Amino acid sequence: MSSVSDSTKNPASSPSRTTLIKYVVMALLAFLSFGLTGLGVIIVMFALSTLRAGRDSAASHGISSLNSSRLGGVAIVITFILFLIGMVLLSSYTPGVVRDVTFLHLWSTVFVCVILGGAEDIKADLLSPYFRLVVKLLVFGFFLWTTPNVIPTSIGVPGVDYLLSFPLIAWGLCTLFCVGFINAFNMADGANGLIPGIVTIAFGVFFLEYGRPAEGVLFFVCLMFLIFNVVSGWFFLGDMGSYGLGAAIVCYGLLGVAEGDFSAGFMACLLSYPCVDFVASVIRRIRKGLSPLQADNGHLHNRLYRFYAQKFESRVTPNSLTGLTISGASSGVCFIIYALDWIPVESNAWFGVFGLQVTLYLITLSRLRSSQMDEIAPMSGMPG
Amino acid sequence: MNRFSWTLLIGMLLMLSGISGVSRLSQAAISSGFDGSVVSNVNAPDRLLVLGFIGSRVASELIHRGESTVIIKDEDRSLANDKINDRKPGDVVN
């Protein structure tokens, strides 16, 4: 394994005072939340962040100005698998893939998405965007065809419910939704703690609702990644992380809605930012005559970052504040309402909260756009 | 071994200590017949050291939820004194 050695790339070589403070803060947060186990995960993530493989230059990011690693997804996968193996060997735990064929199909789908993203992290543009899109359509199409119990028959929206009553149309709609959601997740992964924050909250809700070990481990690993990502800014989810976690969440979400554990409105609220930002970005690009999937710097997180960057001199603080503000104001608010039990998770009243989130998104975007009034330069190769 | 390997090894050993800690708690809960002593003891110092404040509560929740579905191995069965709803080994799995 070769690791980066010079001090500009590797904070471990000759750590500055700021770097030392970051070590202490990360270690303290990890230790307080998950003890020595959390500290172990942070150490593994630190080791992986120093590898030469999967490194990104600052110029390739829309927001981050640090050289960093895209192997965050690899770290999450390694930690998750290590925990599952340990639990199988040391305790009475039987993984879901063994006890239930639905989970076998679900995790196989997630696994394919992880591999697809991993290939892109190891070598950029190894697979063409169209190839990845086709593979995602095929894998989700196969998953939903072989596991029809994951497809909801009703989501509480009259027109959509009518369409979902036709199995073939329901299958097609759900396949498109899953692929679109993963792309939305990948597109929104543009600021420290944004997608990691949303994912941590989502798995926290799944764990509180179902109490299964897999969700508990994912919540734990994502929280550790969130701490590392927000404090240091050295480590990103990469395509492996955003594809894999996006696939896991969309599958769990669909299953939860299909089984009546959650309302579709609740899931929309919980995952509002990636979905709303994706739709808003596609509309913005079409209105400008660009390709709907052409990367640009017009996302809410890009604009909020510019707002914070004027107020802080640090390179990491505005980036992390952007991610935490958006994840906290979208999924965080949803989690607080859920935890305080103000609205039952099966209620369609969550659509009202989702409507408020969309309104807040549009108002904030409009205010930031009018205050910044700068040109949005299209950037090719930017992740978000 | 270089620094990368040592760092990775230390990290993984610490992670394994956590898995082992949760496993021991689960074993203790089965042995005590799920009397609630393990689940409620979230602030024990040794437990906080290995699992932390959130981890200790997550472990309790896992044990609490697993109570109705966990496999009871034969060797644990005698310790549990058949307190757990008369389930046989392998009745229901989680």
Side-chain angles (χ1 to χ4, degrees), chain A residues 82-309:
Chain A
L82 193 74
F83 261 86
L84 288 193
I85 292 172
M87 284 164 65
V88 168
L89 294 179
L90 294 174
S91 73
S92 325
Y93 173 60
T94 307
V97 291
V98 176
R99 68 175 189 270
D100 190 337
V101 72
T102 300
F103 285 109
L104 177 64
H105 288 169
L106 189 154
W107 285 107
S108 305
T109 306
V110 173
F111 179 71
V112 174
C113 292
V114 162
I115 297 296
L116 211 56
E120 197 61 20
D121 285 341
I122 301 296
K123 191 175 186 311
D125 298 326
L126 182 68
L127 308 171
S128 73
Y130 289 105
F131 176 80
R132 279 181 276 156
L133 188 66
V134 169
V135 172
K136 279 182 274 185
L137 280 169
L138 284 175
V139 76
F140 274 101
F142 181 76
F143 167 58
L144 294 169
W145 190 265
T146 52
T147 324
N149 58 314
V150 176
I151 301 174
T153 50
S154 162
I155 62 166
V157 181
V160 181
D161 285 353
Y162 174 72
L163 291 173
L164 289 176
S165 63
F166 301 100
L168 204 61
I169 296 175
W171 169 78
L173 283 177
C174 285
T175 303
L176 286 177
F177 171 75
C178 290
V179 175
F181 182 81
I182 291 178
N183 282 335
F185 227 62
N186 193 29
M187 196 183 276
D189 184 22
N192 293 342
L194 204 169
I195 289 298
I198 292 172
V199 167
T200 304
I201 292 169
F203 281 118
V205 169
F206 290 145
F207 176 69
L208 288 173
E209 205 59 29
Y210 297 119
R212 291 182 296 232
E215 288 104 56
V217 173
L218 279 168
F219 164 69
F220 157 61
V221 178
C222 290
L223 183 59
M224 291 303 107
F225 179 80
L226 177 68
I227 290 172
F228 196 96
N229 180 236
V230 164
V231 176
S232 73
W234 301 328
F235 218 18
F236 298 135
L237 274 180
D239 286 346
M240 185 189 243
S242 59
Y243 281 13
L245 292 171
I249 283 181
V250 78
C251 291
Y252 267 109
L254 271 185
L255 188 61
V257 173
E259 290 183 345
D261 299 327
F262 304 108
S263 69
F266 175 75
M267 292 311 300
C269 267
L270 190 63
L271 306 166
S272 58
Y273 184 74
C275 303
V276 175
D277 187 64
F278 180 72
V279 174
S281 301
V282 167
I283 293 171
R284 181 180 65 243
R285 289 161 192 167
I286 289 173
R287 284 175 64 184
K288 281 174 171 279
L290 299 168
S291 159
L293 298 177
Q294 164 83 54
D296 63 24
N297 282 333
H299 299 276
L300 177 64
H301 53 265
N302 292 109
R303 293 189 177 279
L304 192 60
Y305 170 75
R306 268 177 253 162
F307 171 77
Y308 279 135

Side-chain angles (χ1 to χ4, degrees), chain A residues 11 14-26 231-232 234 314-317:
Chain A
S14 56
S16 64
R17 188 168 170 273
T18 315
T19 306
L20 280 174
I21 292 172
K22 284 180 181 178
Y23 289 154
V24 172
V25 172
M26 284 191 290
V231 176
S232 73
W234 301 328
S314 158
R315 288 185 295 176
V316 177
T317 309

Side-chain angles (χ1 to χ4, degrees), chain A residues 63 191 300-326 329 364 368 372:
Chain A
I63 287 183
L300 177 64
H301 53 265
N302 292 109
R303 293 189 177 279
L304 192 60
Y305 170 75
R306 268 177 253 162
F307 171 77
Y308 279 135
Q310 292 166 348
K311 302 190 181 307
F312 297 93
E313 286 191 3
S314 158
R315 288 185 295 176
V316 177
T317 309
N319 189 341
S320 299
L321 266 179
T322 301
L324 291 178
T325 304
I326 295 176
T364 314
L368 287 171
Q372 289 166 0

Side-chain angles (χ1 to χ4, degrees), chain A residues 1 31-37 40-41 43-44 47 51 79 82-83 86 90 92 94 99 207-211 213, chain B residues 2-4 7-8 11-12 14-15 18-19 23 48-55 58 61-62 65 70-71 93-94:
Chain A
M1 289 284 181
F31 182 72
L32 285 175
S33 54
F34 277 91
L36 291 175
T37 319
V41 176
I43 291 172
V44 168
L51 285 178
T79 315
L82 193 74
F83 261 86
L90 294 174
S92 325
T94 307
R99 68 175 189 270
F207 176 69
L208 288 173
E209 205 59 29
Y210 297 119
Chain B
N2 60 17
R3 190 165 62 185
F4 169 78
T7 315
L8 202 63
M12 289 208 168
L14 287 174
M15 280 162 57
I19 302 167
S23 172
L48 286 179
L49 178 72
V50 178
L51 298 172
F53 287 98
I54 300 178
V58 168
E61 191 65 22
L62 273 175
R65 301 283 186 103
V70 76
I71 294 177
V93 291
N94 181 33

Side-chain angles (χ1 to χ4, degrees), chain A residues 329-354:
Chain A
S330 54
S331 305
V333 169
C334 175
F335 179 75
I336 290 170
I337 297 173
Y338 163 79
L340 295 175
D341 209 13
W342 287 347
I343 305 174
V345 280
E346 309 88 2
S347 169
N348 282 334
W350 284 100
F351 280 116
V353 182
F354 178 65

